[in-house]
């Protein structure tokens, strides 16, 4: 969503398929020839990665208020649990304008407090099912308090130097990968793909596995 429109119906179908179909690369995916310039692009300038030695960094660029990211989340979460062992997978919240920043800070504060396993999915639910406008500081703090989290500690993480630094890094990654919309994926500091290029988000995950298998 934003800058490009992704197919919500396709993303929803992918989310539903996560309940019944494995998303790791199968024989059909292996047989498909993914093409540079069509299914993915290779960055003109490689991006430094934080992946451990021998690992391929995979980044999901997302935004909590994006309905397509919400629809894709169950499929992505299921895929991440069974993805190839050589992949170091992480999420990066994006900001196409200043209104996105509170939700970026929400993500990074939850990450700092080790609360993502409990609350990441709940944020999507709050925004898209409960229709809560978690896009301003006070609304976020109120919601966090209702989750049983120490609000004072959360505010400290939310407004910390570490979070400010992560915002700068996220902005740099977003620019370096030339993120056109969300959900989208960056691979190995070299490649970028999204639902528009690959055709749908299940294909995106197959493209990611293909790119992760390429030799340096």
């Amino acid at each position: 969503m934003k800058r490009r429109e992704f197919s919500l119906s396709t993303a929803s179908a992918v989310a539903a398929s996560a309940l019944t179909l494995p998303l790791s690369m199968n024989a059909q995916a292996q047989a498909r020839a993914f093409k540079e310039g069509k299914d993915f692009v290779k960055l003109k300038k490689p991006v430094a990665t934080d992946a451990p030695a021998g690992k391929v960094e995979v980044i999901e660029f997302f935004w909590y208020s994006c309905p397509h990211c919400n629809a894709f989340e169950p499929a992505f979460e299921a895929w991440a649990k069974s993805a190839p062992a050589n992949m170091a997978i992480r999420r990066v919240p994006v900001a196409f304008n200043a209104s996105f920043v509170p939700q970026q800070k929400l993500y990074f504060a939850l990450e700092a407090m080790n609360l993502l396993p409990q609350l990441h999915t709940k944020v999507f639910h709050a925004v898209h099912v409960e229709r809560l406008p978690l896009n301003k500081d006070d609304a976020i703090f109120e919601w966090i308090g209702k989750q049983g989290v120490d609000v004072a500690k959360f505010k400290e993480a939310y407004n910390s130097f570490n979070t400010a630094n992560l915002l700068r890094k996220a902005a740099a990654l977003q620019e370096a990968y030339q993120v056109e919309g969300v959900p989208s994926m960056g691979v190995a500091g070299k490649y970028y793909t999204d639902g528009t290029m690959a055709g749908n988000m299940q294909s995106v995950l197959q493209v990611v596995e293909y790119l992760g298998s390429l030799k340096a």
Side-chain angles (χ1 to χ4, degrees):
M1 187 174 182
K2 295 292 184 181
R3 297 191 185 177
R4 282 185 185 169
E5 277 299 319
F6 296 98
S7 170
L8 179 56
S9 60
T10 297
S12 298
V14 173
S17 72
L19 300 176
T20 58
L21 297 176
L23 286 174
S24 58
M25 189 179 294
N26 54 29
Q28 181 179 359
Q30 290 175 337
R32 177 177 171 183
F34 295 114
K35 296 180 180 179
E36 181 182 346
K38 179 181 180 296
D39 300 296
F40 64 92
V41 294
K42 186 173 184 178
L43 304 184
K44 294 180 180 179
K45 183 179 180 181
V47 181
T49 72
D50 293 329
K55 295 281 189 176
V56 175
E57 182 173 78
V58 174
I59 299 173
E60 184 214 10
F61 295 101
F62 80 100
W63 173 40
Y64 277 127
S65 287
C66 168
H68 312 310
C69 296
N70 177 57
F72 180 53
E73 175 60 25
F76 177 76
E77 180 68 19
W79 172 81
K81 291 177 180 177
S82 60
N86 72 321
M87 291 186 170
I89 301 168
R90 66 188 181 106
R91 297 175 173 89
V92 171
V94 303
F96 293 128
N97 60 57
S99 70
F100 288 47
V101 173
Q103 289 187 355
Q104 284 184 299
K105 294 173 70 174
L106 166 59
Y107 178 85
F108 290 131
L110 291 176
E111 184 177 52
M113 298 179 72
N114 297 314
L115 291 174
L116 285 175
Q118 301 99 299
L119 297 181
H120 178 67
T121 300
K122 287 187 177 182
V123 177
F124 277 116
H125 187 273
V127 173
H128 298 280
V129 178
E130 299 175 39
R131 301 295 181 182
L132 299 178
L134 300 184
N135 55 5
K136 301 204 180 285
D137 296 352
D138 289 345
I140 289 171
F141 299 153
E142 180 180 358
W143 182 81
I144 281 292
K146 291 179 179 179
Q147 309 313 306
V149 177
D150 185 318
V151 176
K153 290 183 178 179
F154 178 83
K155 286 183 178 180
E156 183 178 349
Y158 187 89
N159 294 312
S160 68
F161 173 80
N162 180 64
T163 292
N165 189 45
L166 289 172
L167 289 175
R168 288 191 290 271
K169 288 184 176 181
L173 277 173
Q174 183 178 334
E175 181 178 358
Y177 274 101
Q178 299 180 338
V179 175
E180 292 288 343
V182 288
S184 54
M185 309 284 284
V187 183
K190 298 178 181 179
Y191 309 104
Y192 174 85
T193 185
D194 60 30
T196 298
M197 282 185 270
N200 58 65
M201 292 309 297
Q202 182 171 355
S203 291
V204 165
L205 297 177
Q206 294 169 351
V207 170
V208 168
E209 290 196 13
Y210 165 75
L211 295 173
S213 71
L214 298 180
K215 300 298 182 182

